[in-house]
Amino acid sequence: MAGPWAVTGPADVQPRPAPVYRGRFAPSPTGPLHVGSLLTAVASLLDARAHQGQWQLRIDDLDQPRAMPGAEETILRSLEAHGLTWDGPVQRQSEHFERYQAALAELARAQRIFYCRCTRKSRVRGQPYPGTCRAYRTQRADAAVRFEPTATPLHFADRIQGTVQINLLETTGPYIIWRRDALPGYALATAVDDGADTVTDVVRGVDLLSETAPQLALMQALGLTAPRYAHLPVAVDSQGVKLSKQAGAAPLDDGRPAQNLSAVFRLLGVPEWVVAEAGTVAALWANAQEHWSPARLRGRASVPSPL
C-alpha cells in the first residue's frame, strides 16, 4: 500500500449512522471483468448481505474515450453468471452529469476552485502541484479546474486498513476535479455519487485508498456525508503486479462460475471447509455469507490470484 498513511487517533471524518446498509459496485465499461474486479464485487455484495442491506450497481461510464463497445453488457452477464444480484435499476454516471455541474458551481461560489493550464511536463514529477495558476478564479478556455484543499490534515477510519491521516496540500496540492475535455474528474464524480444518501458503505480495493482523502475533502466542501469505507487487499499475479485491464488481466470465464467464486472466497478469508462443502453457485453464496469477516483481511495489501 503506497502513500503517507499513519495510524492515528479518532477520525474527524465521521461516517453517517447506517440503519439501512446501501453498498455499491462501480465498474468502468473499459473491458470485461477479471479476477481482481470479481474480488471487489463479491466482497462488497457479501458485506451488504451480511448487514441485511442493499447492493447497487453503478457503471462509471463518464470517460467515453476509454469505454469499450459492449463492455457494459459483458459486465452484467458476468455478474449474473456468478450469482451477483443487484438491487434496483443499474445506475450510470453519464446520467448524473447535471449533479456534477451543480457541485462544480457550488465549489466556485465558495471560491474553492481555480482554472489551470499547466501541463504535466511543466511540473516536477512526484511533487505536489504548487498552485501556479491559483490566481485564475474566473473561467478561461482550455483549462482544467483544480480544487484547493485546506491545510488541515484529514483523518478517516477504514474498516480494514485502520485510521488514516493525510495532508492533501502536502501530498497532492490542489487537484483536478474537472478535465480540459469538459468531463468531470474521477474525484468529483465519485464524491458526489458516494456522498449521496443512496450510499452508506463503499467496499473497494486498497489501490484506491489514495483517492479516498480527495473525495472526502470534496464531500466536506459540498456538505455531503461520508460513507463508511473498507479497502480490500488487491489480487496480484505471480510477479506481484496488480491484476487490471491495463496490465492485460485475463477476462473471467463465465462458464466456470463455481470455480471462480471458490477461488475468490478463499482469497477473502472464507474458511476452506466452507467453500469445499458447497458445489453450486447458490450453495457457495449461502455458505460464504454466514462466514464473511472483513477482520480476516486486516493488515494485508494484496492477495495472490490462483486463476
Side-chain angles (χ1 to χ4, degrees), residues 115-134:
Y115 296 85
C116 176
R117 290 179 178 167
C118 295
T119 64
R120 291 184 180 180
K121 291 181 180 179
S122 67
R123 294 180 51 197
V124 178
R125 187 173 183 179
Q127 297 296 313
Y129 176 75
T132 307
C133 295
R134 186 175 279 119

Side-chain angles (χ1 to χ4, degrees), residues 40-260:
T40 300
V42 166
S44 60
L45 179 54
L46 279 176
D47 204 55
R49 298 303 184 237
H51 288 85
Q52 293 79 49
Q54 300 171 357
W55 189 67
Q56 303 165 4
L57 178 61
R58 185 181 78 219
I59 304 297
D60 284 3
D61 61 347
L62 284 176
D63 197 349
Q64 287 298 315
R66 294 181 58 238
M68 179 182 293
E72 179 179 327
E73 292 76 13
T74 300
I75 290 170
L76 299 186
R77 283 197 301 270
S78 287
L79 293 174
E80 290 172 337
H82 289 82
L84 288 98
T85 304
W86 54 92
D87 299 302
V90 176
Q91 301 177 40
R92 296 171 184 83
Q93 284 194 321
S94 58
E95 299 167 351
H96 302 166
F97 202 84
E98 290 183 357
R99 295 183 192 175
Y100 312 140
Q101 289 178 313
L104 183 67
E106 184 172 342
L107 295 172
R109 286 192 294 271
Q111 300 185 342
R112 297 295 300 276
I113 63 172
F114 60 87
Y115 296 85
C116 176
R117 290 179 178 167
C118 295
T119 64
R120 291 184 180 180
K121 291 181 180 179
S122 67
R123 294 180 51 197
V124 178
R125 187 173 183 179
Q127 297 296 313
Y129 176 75
T132 307
C133 295
R134 186 175 279 119
Y136 296 99
R137 298 284 171 167
T138 56
Q139 188 171 1
R140 58 181 185 160
D142 190 32
V145 181
R146 289 185 183 271
F147 172 77
E148 190 153 25
T150 68
T152 304
L154 190 67
H155 300 70
F156 61 93
D158 187 89
R159 293 169 55 207
I160 294 176
Q161 304 301 330
T163 302
V164 174
Q165 172 181 304
I166 185 171
N167 186 317
L168 287 171
L169 278 185
E170 295 177 354
T171 56
T172 67
Y175 50 92
I176 291 175
I177 61 169
W178 204 275
R179 297 169 18 174
R180 285 175 185 247
D181 58 3
L183 287 175
Y186 175 75
L188 179 64
T190 306
V192 169
D193 287 336
D194 287 349
D197 291 338
T198 53
V199 177
T200 65
D201 287 77
V202 171
V203 178
R204 60 186 181 184
V206 73
D207 56 315
L208 292 174
L209 184 60
S210 61
E211 303 286 350
T212 303
Q215 291 165 17
L216 287 172
L218 286 164
M219 290 180 196
Q220 286 184 328
L222 292 166
L224 303 174
T225 306
R228 293 195 306 171
Y229 288 96
H231 285 86
L232 306 159
V234 296
V236 297
D237 63 19
S238 59
Q239 305 301 313
V241 176
K242 177 200 151 190
L243 297 182
S244 67
K245 297 168 189 174
Q246 292 83 357
L252 283 177
D253 181 352
D254 292 342
R256 52 195 308 270
Q259 295 93 321
N260 295 338

